[in-house]
């Protein structure tokens, strides 16, 4: 049972460029909190906060998300989502074996899939047109496709990675969303349907709308 007295605080950016909206990693935490039914407040930050000593004492890399609950400060989206999942069987089953499987998929999403996806995102969104990139991109895309094919194979007829929605699906889908600028997911109908199934959840829709609503339009005036 959750006995918290003070609201949870989630740190998010007050502004990002439009292509990044809906992808910033505080979305993972918002989604988890919505699934768990835990109320929270959002602290919006900008570059000056990221660089401040106070914030670095909370999030050593100056990144988002950061999270505070009952005086405990956390960072790393995967660790935060797991912490939220510990508080709700909406995100993780109660039995030890089931919990271990959720942890497996959380780490798989962040360690076996996200690095490949991020390489492609980095090439396409941040380094397009730079020297050496056109030669490198096919290799990176091929690597992403190997991961997608393996994931589609695992899913097969399953609705979710472990038969029911868990924090593992939440992390996996937020990783796969980063491919939205490509047609890669469409090449794997199983994966596309899986993402759409997870993103249709009311908790995801609420989290996404809330993230988008929090961005200011003008970073200078912010
Ligand atoms: N492994 C970290 C990565 C966090 C991360 O890359 N956050 C991005 C936003 S999605 C960020 O803060 N970027 C700004 C920066 O790195 O300075 C996590 O999952 O929380």
């Amino acid at each position: 049972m959750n006995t918290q007295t003070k609201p949870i605080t989630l740190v998010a950016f007050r502004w990002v460029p439009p292509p990044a909206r809906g992808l910033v990693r505080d979305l993972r935490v918002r989604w988890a909190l919505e699934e768990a039914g835990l109320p929270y407040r959002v602290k919006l930050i900008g570059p000056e906060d990221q660089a401040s000593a106070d914030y670095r004492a909370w999030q050593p890399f100056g990144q988002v998300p950061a999270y505070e609950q009952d005086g405990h400060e956390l960072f790393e989206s995967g660790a935060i989502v797991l912490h939220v999942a510990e508080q709700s069987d909406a995100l993780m089953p109660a039995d030890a074996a089931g919990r271990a499987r959720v942890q497996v998929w959380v780490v798989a999403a962040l360690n076996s899939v996200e690095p490949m996806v991020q390489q492609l995102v980095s090439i396409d969104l941040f380094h397009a047109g730079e020297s050496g990139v056109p030669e490198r991109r096919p290799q990176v895309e091929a690597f992403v496709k190997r991961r997608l094919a393996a994931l589609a194979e695992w899913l097969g007829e399953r609705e979710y990675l472990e038969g029911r929605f868990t924090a593992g699906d939440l992390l996996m889908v937020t990783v796969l969303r980063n491919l939205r600028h490509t047609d890669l997911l469409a090449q794997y109908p199983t994966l596309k349907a899986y993402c759409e199934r997870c993103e249709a959840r009311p908790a995801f829709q609420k989290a996404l709308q809330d993230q988008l609503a929090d961005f200011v339009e003008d970073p200078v005036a912010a």
Side-chain angles (χ1 to χ4, degrees), residues 158-173:
R158 292 180 174 93
E159 269 195 292
Y160 300 107
L161 293 167
E162 286 294 319
R164 54 150 287 193
F165 180 81
T166 73
D169 299 296
L170 187 156
L171 266 304
M172 191 64 79
V173 168

Side-chain angles (χ1 to χ4, degrees), residues 137-216:
R137 194 186 185 283
Q139 286 175 303
V140 172
E141 184 181 290
F143 212 165
V144 171
K145 288 177 78 167
R146 276 167 54 189
R147 288 291 190 266
L148 297 183
L151 204 52
E153 170 98 13
W154 170 268
L155 273 170
E157 298 294 310
R158 292 180 174 93
E159 269 195 292
Y160 300 107
L161 293 167
E162 286 294 319
R164 54 150 287 193
F165 180 81
T166 73
D169 299 296
L170 187 156
L171 266 304
M172 191 64 79
V173 168
T174 57
V175 167
L176 296 176
R177 277 174 61 74
N178 285 286
L179 294 170
R180 69 182 183 182
H181 69 286
T182 73
D183 68 352
L184 286 174
L185 278 187
Q187 296 178 34
Y188 301 88
T190 304
L191 281 188
K192 186 167 181 286
Y194 164 68
C195 287
E196 286 172 355
R197 185 155 54 244
C198 292
E199 290 178 351
R201 296 175 70 83
F204 174 82
Q205 290 299 323
K206 173 83 166 71
L208 179 62
Q209 292 319 312
D210 286 351
Q211 182 187 75
L212 297 177
D214 275 346
F215 291 125
V216 296

